[in-house]
Amino acid sequence: MDKIVIAGGKPLKGEVMISGAKNAALPILAATLLTPGLHVLTNVPNLADIRTAKKLLANLGVQFTDLADGLQVDSTGLVSWEAPYDLVKTMRAAVLVLGPLVARLGKARVSLPGGCAIGARPINLHLKGLEEMGVRVALAHGYVEASVKRLEGAEIILDFPTVTGTENLLMAATLARGRTIIRNAAQEPEVSDLAKFLRAMGARIEGIGTDVLIIDGVRELQPASHRIMPDRIEAGTYLAAAAITRGEVTIRQAPVEHLTAVIDKFLETGLKLKVEKDTIHVRPGGALVGVDIKTMPYPGFPTDMQAQFMATMSLARGVSIITETIFEKRFMHVSELRRLGADIVVSGNQAVVRGTKTLQGAPVMATDLRASASLVLAGLGAQGQTEVHRVYHLDRGYERLEQKLSALGANIWREKA
Ligand code: EPU
């Protein structure tokens, strides 16, 4: 298996361009299933998860054509309504086909995702919402079997603002009979990006960006074109890379309006940065100080930035208390960061990070996407050589990571096994 090797300890310097958001592209690709025709998506990142999504949709009968600056998606002839175990187990976001398939075909068979590295991650709220819209849901042989004659609008109150759950229900509701109200909806910008694509398809949605989504179902939708929003987590990760190496980095095409909680926390650490339209300039400065964070649904501090912030705090002055409230097992990176010399103690859903002066390079093992990113960051800030194993986790969600970091002057390369 490939590994990424980093000779750390060098401040980054230069410019980096942010790619399209994985977590917006995935539901938008699924949304093309809602109606037959030719859709055009631009700014789709080239990532392993996107390739998995394309494989999943191709299995259902969707055809893809690469365009000069985008992707044409032909969702005309669906030949299946099943998301098989093999694909769902590699990427949980595969459950996003459930809502659109039920809405278009009145049936879907989707493998139940099991637990994963960061938590149990059930989909009970997706299913409960669909049942409220009249869908019959049965669990058989590890699969969810859903069927309905015509979806009925409903008032759905989510117990928790689940991101993909909100997306599944939103997509289903666009073709339901009557009005659906989703309360306590996830307000993540990726949900809004999906809603904008659905609107371009002719869906009637109000409350985009709020926790109450009101959807008036329509009889049919039309294919549409859409530019995927930039990836706020990728932008935040490069912000952390600049911070941990005390670098001087310009981050371009950053969705700064969706990074407020992250930027505010970095400012609190003493990081010197300036925001200008869609650009973040990080300037070199003195030592950073420890700052506490607590992960929350948007607009709070994102769980997808927790591991990267922790890596940065491991080299700050003083103590940082990191509280994870979204996923129950999202501290898998802690033991690996400790192998690099970080001083971190975990108790329940809190990690206490006591900043150290230096980290030392070592071989480490990636466990999930954002955990892997935190190890790369720690490697960039460490003295000596760090090897990050199991890089397929990184390939799922970071486009051309080594190339982008190399262009910023990092000594980083991939070694084939
Ligand atoms: N939950 C339930 N029941 C449900 C759905 C969720 O109990 O039916 C719980 C989960 O177990 C978890 C919490 O609710 O404890 C939040 O989960 P959510 O459903 O919001 O997460 P998700 O939709 O599965 C998306 C992102 C994740 C990101 C989370 C939280 C996509 C494709 N994935 O997952 O992204 O961490 O929202 O913001 O959008 C990543 O990119 O690295 C990643 C893991």
Side-chain angles (χ1 to χ4, degrees):
M1 249 180 272
D2 293 3
K3 62 184 172 191
I4 282 185
V5 187
I6 305 150
K10 204 173 156 201
L12 299 185
K13 193 169 173 27
E15 291 194 8
V16 62
M17 191 78 82
I18 298 308
S19 301
K22 165 179 85 78
N23 289 348
L26 292 173
I28 287 169
L29 278 167
T32 62
L33 291 170
L34 282 164
T35 192
L38 298 180
H39 308 259
V40 175
L41 302 178
T42 52
N43 208 29
V44 180
N46 183 9
L47 301 168
D49 271 8
I50 300 298
R51 289 189 286 278
T52 306
K54 285 164 79 175
K55 215 158 135 189
L56 171 71
L57 295 192
N59 251 346
L60 299 170
V62 175
Q63 292 178 3
F64 297 95
T65 312
D66 286 324
L67 305 175
D69 66 337
L71 183 65
Q72 178 178 280
V73 186
D74 182 352
S75 56
T76 306
L78 297 192
V79 294
S80 164
W81 47 91
E82 181 171 314
Y85 176 66
D86 274 358
L87 292 172
V88 181
K89 82 169 194 291
T90 26
M91 187 189 68
R92 305 176 50 86
V95 300
L96 284 165
V97 300
L98 182 57
L101 285 177
V102 166
R104 174 157 161 198
L105 303 176
K107 57 188 170 185
R109 188 165 185 267
V110 173
S111 171
L112 259 184
C116 77
I118 60 178
R121 302 184 76 184
I123 57 163
N124 57 314
L125 302 176
H126 305 222
L127 302 182
K128 182 165 171 274
L130 287 174
E131 282 178 329
E132 283 165 0
M133 297 175 79
V135 177
R136 275 189 311 279
V137 173
L139 301 182
H141 307 289
Y143 278 75
V144 175
E145 293 179 348
S147 62
V148 69
K149 243 192 157 140
R150 169 106 199 256
L151 286 161
E152 298 290 342
E155 178 154 356
I156 299 166
I157 305 175
L158 292 172
D159 289 350
F160 185 89
T162 158
V163 175
T164 48
T166 301
E167 291 165 347
N168 247 332
L169 298 173
L170 173 63
M171 289 188 277
T174 58
L175 288 174
R177 183 166 27 214
R179 173 169 282 192
T180 299
I181 303 178
I182 308 174
R183 295 192 191 277
N184 200 24
Q187 300 175 66
E188 268 66 7
E190 294 76 15
V191 178
S192 304
D193 207 35
L194 167 66
K196 286 178 197 155
F197 177 57
L198 293 171
R199 258 195 183 166
M201 291 171 76
R204 292 173 54 201
I205 305 169
E206 296 301 327
I208 296 177
T210 76
D211 64 351
V212 182
L213 291 171
I214 302 172
I215 307 106
D216 286 305
V218 294
R219 277 230 153 251
E220 53 180 25
L221 298 166
Q222 296 83 46
S225 301
H226 184 77
R227 181 175 171 79
I228 307 290
M229 65 175 285
D231 197 315
R232 64 194 167 104
I233 305 302
E234 189 196 18
T237 303
Y238 284 100
L239 197 50
I244 202 167
T245 63
R246 311 279 188 273
E248 185 171 1
V249 175
T250 297
I251 304 168
R252 296 213 183 270
Q253 256 179 59
V256 290
E257 68 279 24
H258 302 131
L259 275 164
T260 310
V262 172
I263 289 174
D264 283 357
K265 280 296 171 185
F266 275 108
L267 284 171
E268 246 184 81
T269 68
L271 185 69
K272 292 196 166 46
L273 63 86
K274 209 172 83 195
V275 174
E276 225 177 15
K277 285 194 193 139
D278 62 351
T279 302
I280 307 172
H281 301 278
V282 182
R283 285 176 284 144
L288 305 180
V289 296
V291 163
D292 300 344
I293 57 158
K294 184 176 184 178
T295 62
M296 296 290 272
Y298 189 85
F301 191 94
T303 174
D304 289 345
M305 273 301 297
Q306 180 256 105
Q308 302 90 313
F309 196 81
M310 185 186 290
T312 313
M313 289 298 90
S314 67
L315 277 174
R317 195 181 286 158
V319 175
S320 159
I321 297 175
I322 295 185
T323 310
E324 172 61 53
T325 76
I326 308 295
F327 291 109
E328 64 278 17
K329 279 202 319 199
R330 214 174 198 183
F331 281 144
M332 303 284 279
H333 40 286
V334 168
S335 44
E336 299 301 302
L337 289 173
R338 282 164 62 169
R339 301 197 68 253
L340 299 174
D343 180 352
I344 308 171
V345 178
V346 173
S347 170
N349 72 338
Q350 286 196 322
V352 177
V353 187
R354 288 186 182 82
T356 54
K357 278 221 160 74
T358 52
L359 296 176
Q360 300 97 42
V364 285
M365 193 73 84
T367 48
D368 78 78
L369 171 56
R370 310 303 170 185
S372 324
S374 80
L375 300 178
V376 170
L377 294 176
L380 290 171
Q383 304 296 322
Q385 193 159 305
T386 297
E387 288 179 3
V388 182
H389 294 261
R390 296 200 184 152
V391 293
Y392 55 86
H393 289 293
L394 281 168
D395 294 337
R396 291 186 54 186
Y398 287 93
E399 191 175 59
R400 296 185 298 111
L401 181 73
E402 311 98 90
Q403 289 91 329
K404 288 189 185 187
L405 285 171
S406 296
L408 291 172
N411 279 327
I412 181 169
W413 63 94
R414 181 179 294 240
E415 285 183 7
K416 298 263 173 214

